[in-house]
Amino acid sequence: MDVLVLLDHHPAREGSAPRSTAAELLTLARELAGDPGAVHAAWVGDDGHGAAAELAAAHGADHLHLVHVEGADDRLTASVTDALRAVLAAHPAPLVLLASTFEGKEAAARLAVQERGGVVTDATTVEVADGRVVAGKAVLAGSWATRCAVTGELAVVTVKPHALRAAPVARPSQPQRHEHRVEASAAARAVTVVSRAPRPTSDRPSLAEAEVVVVGGRGTNGDFAPLEELADVLGGAVGATRVATDEGWIGHEAQVGQTGVTISPRLYVGAGVSGAVHHRGGMDASVTVVAVNEDADAPIFEFADYGVVGDLTEVVPALSAELRRRRSS
Amino acid sequence: MRVVVCVKHVPDIQSARSFRPDGLLARGGEDDTLNELDEDALEAGLRLVEAHPPAGGAPPHDVTVLTVGPAAAVDALRRGLAMGATTAVHVADEAVAGSDALATARVLAAAVRHLHAQEPVDVVVAGMAGLDGLTSLVPAALAAELDWPQLTLVDRVDVADGPDGRTVSVRRETSADVEELTAPAPVVLSVTDQAFRARFPAFKGILAARKAPVTVLDLAALGVDGASVGLDGSTTRVLEAAPRPQRPGRVVVTDTADTDAVVRDLADYLAAKGFA
Ligand SMILES: Cc1cc2nc3c(=O)[nH]c(=O)nc-3n(C[C@H](O)[C@H](O)[C@H](O)COP(=O)(O)OP(=O)(O)OC[C@H]3O[C@@H](n4cnc5c(N)ncnc54)[C@H](O)[C@@H]3O)c2cc1C
Ligand SMILES: Nc1ncnc2c1ncn2[C@@H]1O[C@H](COP(=O)(O)O)[C@@H](O)[C@H]1O
């Protein structure tokens, strides 16, 4: 089966750089495509082509499609969808994989509407059963597990970060390079980008992609320093509950939950977080959940792998110190 | 100006939610409510018209709340009316039951086209997600169905009239950037839960909403073929749904006096998982 992957990327000083999910999707596509199925990788935009080629080769893609969008801003969801449609028109594939970000879901929705396909979002598994694409996902704030089949002509699946580990192929492939020029659709052309400014970035990994996320809630009482220290020891990102972002203790972009960033890191550490259902829905796919909360009845202990009932102002700094001590010995 | 706000009636997220044996979400419980995030969408719509009082002699603005759903979904419309919506439209039809996000967007698009033909719509506003399926697919799918520009996940919105017609401008934050975008009306918007903290309906509004008329439309009125929506018209199907088991081997320790010992155990645990 042929599989098309959208290579998600973000602007960087040295040209656009792929997000870590792109490698994961290529790995998944390679698995699903099998032999003789082909993996098609699509990169929308005019820079970062070197990084795209390297990534595609390292993960065994057979084709790399570099798409230039004419007549509209190429970062708009509508433009990205126009680009994917052009690639599909030239190289039909029954399955398209995208990263499960808000932008990825929107592109998936548009593509499926226009190509009469079906979409499953937030998948953590994707398989082919009886000739149909079947995706597994957790729903209802992580309390139910479902398997959904796509019955449309085209399956569009958005996959959560860390659903699988990216694995470079033993011998890099030599993807065939295709350049596409696409006329943007009227809906894309109609939108004018009046201004665009990069959001301030930190030196920590991005929340959605980080392998480790340390989250602070109301229990931090506004002091995120111990959490930042722990995140740095673990090489992770810092997140927050909505209470913490509403209080202005940390920027809104740090909000983890149903209406913030959905995360699925290998390790989630929640400190002073109660584990409210709105929050849980955005983090329950985390592989390992550790909680520090002074209230033994906090709901987070119902779904934490390892819970410490205690005061975070003592436990968190002590943990950072202990981890540091082990490193240096 | 005419604003249409898409509102959904969903199971209360604090209640014990479940799937039926046929793979559909159990709906119609007593605790079902207006999706909280759609209150923010309505708030955005109300603020938009309030910011631009009609000029003398011009007709009053209209804010229509629109829902696609079973009979009980009328509650979501009444809540919207109580908050200040002027018109309520309910698309109810047996054939809609079991529609997935894209099939729902198809019905919503037909309803918006129907309303637009009666009196032009400038802005359609949706919430950032339905707190039931949490797909966030409908706003973009609706924009694609209508072939109207989409301005999604905005935290600021305004309209301005110019020589070339009405323009909608928004501010939004993507994962990488802060953007200001404009597009000519009509457009489809979705709003985040950040900027439009919804008002509480006044008592007077709640009373009036009980008696306010609600227009009920079926698929035939919208020219939608029943086979193109519902379970059969959907392009996804839930094969299995089961409560997730609790995480196995959970550990809870209490830090009473010896924090160092607690932390050493936790560090051992993290090391065993490959994190230390
Ligand atoms: C429409 C809507 C959308 C929402 N979306 C989100 C979302 O995306 N993300 C999100 O997070 N929330 C969201 N919320 C809010 C959510 O419902 C909860 O209110 C929020 O998650 C609670 O945050 P919290 O855990 O920080 O605070 P609380 O629930 O107040 O919990 C604080 C915890 O800290 C503990 N604590 C206090 N002091 C200490 C200490 N010294 N040491 C250890 N523990 C301590 C307390 O025991 C308590 O359990 C949303 C709400 C609505 C209505
Ligand atoms: N059945 C429906 N009726 C009206 N609006 C809906 C319906 N389903 C979804 N919406 C709108 O689409 C938004 C996103 O929902 P979803 O894509 O289901 O997460 C919601 O916040 C609503 O504004």
Side-chain angles (χ1 to χ4, degrees):
Chain A
M1 179 177 64
D2 287 3
V3 183
L4 172 61
V5 172
L6 175 66
L7 300 181
D8 197 5
H9 53 87
H10 59 92
R13 216 167 295 131
E14 57 287 3
S16 289
R19 293 191 190 272
S20 61
T21 45
E24 294 167 5
L25 293 184
L26 286 172
T27 301
L28 177 59
R30 189 66 273 162
E31 247 167 55
L32 291 166
D35 198 9
V39 173
H40 293 263
W43 181 277
V44 184
D46 299 337
D47 71 339
H49 291 178
E54 217 171 282
L55 179 78
H59 294 86
D62 304 291
H63 301 266
L64 175 63
H65 301 272
L66 302 165
V67 191
H68 168 80
V69 178
E70 192 74 46
D73 184 276
D74 63 18
R75 306 241 301 269
L76 298 171
T77 310
S79 299
V80 171
T81 315
D82 293 339
L84 289 174
R85 293 188 73 195
V87 173
L88 283 176
H91 303 269
L95 172 61
V96 181
L97 300 176
L98 302 93
S100 229
T101 58
F102 281 116
E103 290 93 350
K105 293 183 206 185
E106 288 181 3
R110 295 187 69 87
L111 183 63
V113 165
Q114 291 163 345
E115 299 290 335
R116 310 196 156 278
V119 191
V120 181
T121 57
D122 292 315
T124 51
T125 62
V126 185
E127 59 187 314
V128 179
D130 300 330
R132 286 192 308 202
V133 172
V134 177
K137 64 184 285 194
V139 296
L140 303 183
S143 60
W144 284 67
T146 60
R147 287 177 70 239
C148 304
V150 179
T151 55
E153 289 161 34
L154 173 71
V156 185
V157 180
T158 74
V159 181
K160 279 203 173 178
H162 304 302
L164 75 163
R165 264 188 206 276
V169 288
R171 215 156 2 103
S173 59
Q174 291 186 314
Q176 201 180 326
R177 220 173 146 111
H178 310 265
E179 292 186 7
H180 303 256
R181 286 181 83 82
V182 178
E183 287 292 324
S185 58
R189 284 169 186 273
V191 177
T192 306
V193 179
V194 178
S195 72
R196 177 180 281 146
R199 280 163 60 152
T201 50
S202 78
D203 295 333
R204 298 194 181 91
S206 90
L207 199 50
E209 296 163 84
E211 300 239 328
V212 176
V213 179
V214 180
V215 174
R218 194 198 304 274
T220 62
N221 224 342
D223 182 7
F224 268 68
L227 280 71
E228 286 166 0
E229 189 196 0
L230 180 59
D232 289 341
V233 176
L234 290 166
V238 175
T241 65
R242 181 158 135 186
V243 167
T245 58
D246 280 356
E247 290 283 347
W249 296 340
I250 186 168
H252 162 58
E253 65 282 354
Q255 183 185 320
V256 170
Q258 297 198 325
T259 56
V261 183
T262 304
I263 60 168
S264 41
R266 300 198 182 284
L267 174 64
Y268 166 104
V269 181
V273 173
S274 63
V277 62
H278 291 107
H279 184 72
R280 183 176 177 182
M283 53 62 67
D284 201 68
S286 305
V287 180
T288 298
V289 174
V290 171
V292 182
N293 192 307
E294 62 181 10
D295 175 7
D297 294 327
I300 196 165
F301 289 125
E302 288 162 27
F303 56 93
D305 296 287
Y306 199 107
V308 177
V309 181
D311 184 347
L312 74 91
T313 61
E314 289 176 17
V315 175
V316 173
L319 179 61
S320 302
E322 174 67 16
L323 293 172
R324 273 227 175 83
R325 195 185 56 72
R326 291 183 182 208
R327 291 261 166 92
S328 57
S329 66
Chain B
M1 181 160 39
R2 184 166 203 202
V3 179
V4 174
V5 183
C6 300
V7 299
K8 189 173 190 186
H9 193 58
V10 298
D12 180 6
I13 112 162
Q14 308 290 355
S15 68
R17 297 178 294 171
S18 63
F19 281 84
R20 307 190 318 205
D22 62 3
L24 295 180
L25 184 63
R27 299 183 186 275
E30 269 181 20
D31 298 332
D32 288 14
T33 64
L34 168 58
N35 179 34
E36 284 168 83
L37 296 167
D38 298 345
E39 293 190 9
D40 295 24
L42 177 54
E43 180 67 33
L46 292 171
R47 286 191 203 172
L48 194 57
V49 300
E50 285 162 2
H52 299 278
H61 296 312
D62 174 67
V63 177
T64 298
V65 277
L66 166 66
T67 197
V68 173
V74 72
D75 287 356
L77 295 177
R78 298 233 178 263
R79 174 82 187 176
L81 288 166
M83 277 178 65
T86 39
T87 312
V89 176
H90 186 176
V91 181
D93 195 305
E94 298 269 298
V96 170
S99 295
D100 66 4
L102 296 194
T104 302
R106 216 144 43 230
V107 180
L108 282 169
V112 170
R113 266 188 234 109
H114 176 87
L115 298 172
H116 190 57
Q118 289 175 339
E119 188 199 328
V121 172
D122 298 287
V123 179
V124 175
V125 196
M128 70 187 294
L131 288 172
D132 47 359
L134 214 74
T135 68
S136 295
L137 289 173
V138 168
L142 176 57
E145 286 284 352
L146 292 167
D147 204 16
W148 292 2
Q150 73 169 56
L151 301 171
T152 49
L153 299 170
V154 310
D155 56 23
R156 213 181 289 158
V157 54
D158 203 2
V159 295
D161 289 331
D164 303 325
R166 194 159 277 170
T167 303
V168 181
S169 56
V170 302
R171 177 191 180 281
R172 67 195 293 262
E173 293 185 4
T174 68
S175 50
D177 302 300
V178 178
E179 297 177 338
E180 291 174 303
L181 308 177
T182 62
V187 301
V188 176
L189 299 180
S190 71
V191 305
T192 72
D193 65 335
Q194 289 302 304
F196 306 101
R197 191 68 34 114
R199 64 195 63 184
F200 277 110
F203 188 58
K204 217 172 81 197
I206 296 175
L207 287 184
R210 276 194 206 146
K211 284 182 248 125
V214 170
T215 304
V216 182
L217 299 169
D218 61 9
L219 292 179
L222 300 179
V224 174
D225 175 8
S228 71
V229 300
L231 214 47
D232 292 337
S234 293
T235 43
T236 55
R237 177 157 307 201
V238 177
L239 301 178
E240 276 169 47
R244 269 172 89 207
Q246 287 223 319
R247 287 165 182 265
R250 289 177 305 125
V251 179
V252 178
V253 298
T254 302
D255 177 21
T256 40
D258 193 353
T259 304
D260 289 343
V262 165
V263 161
R264 270 198 305 275
D265 288 348
L266 176 50
D268 286 345
Y269 176 80
L270 293 178
K273 298 262 172 194
F275 292 113

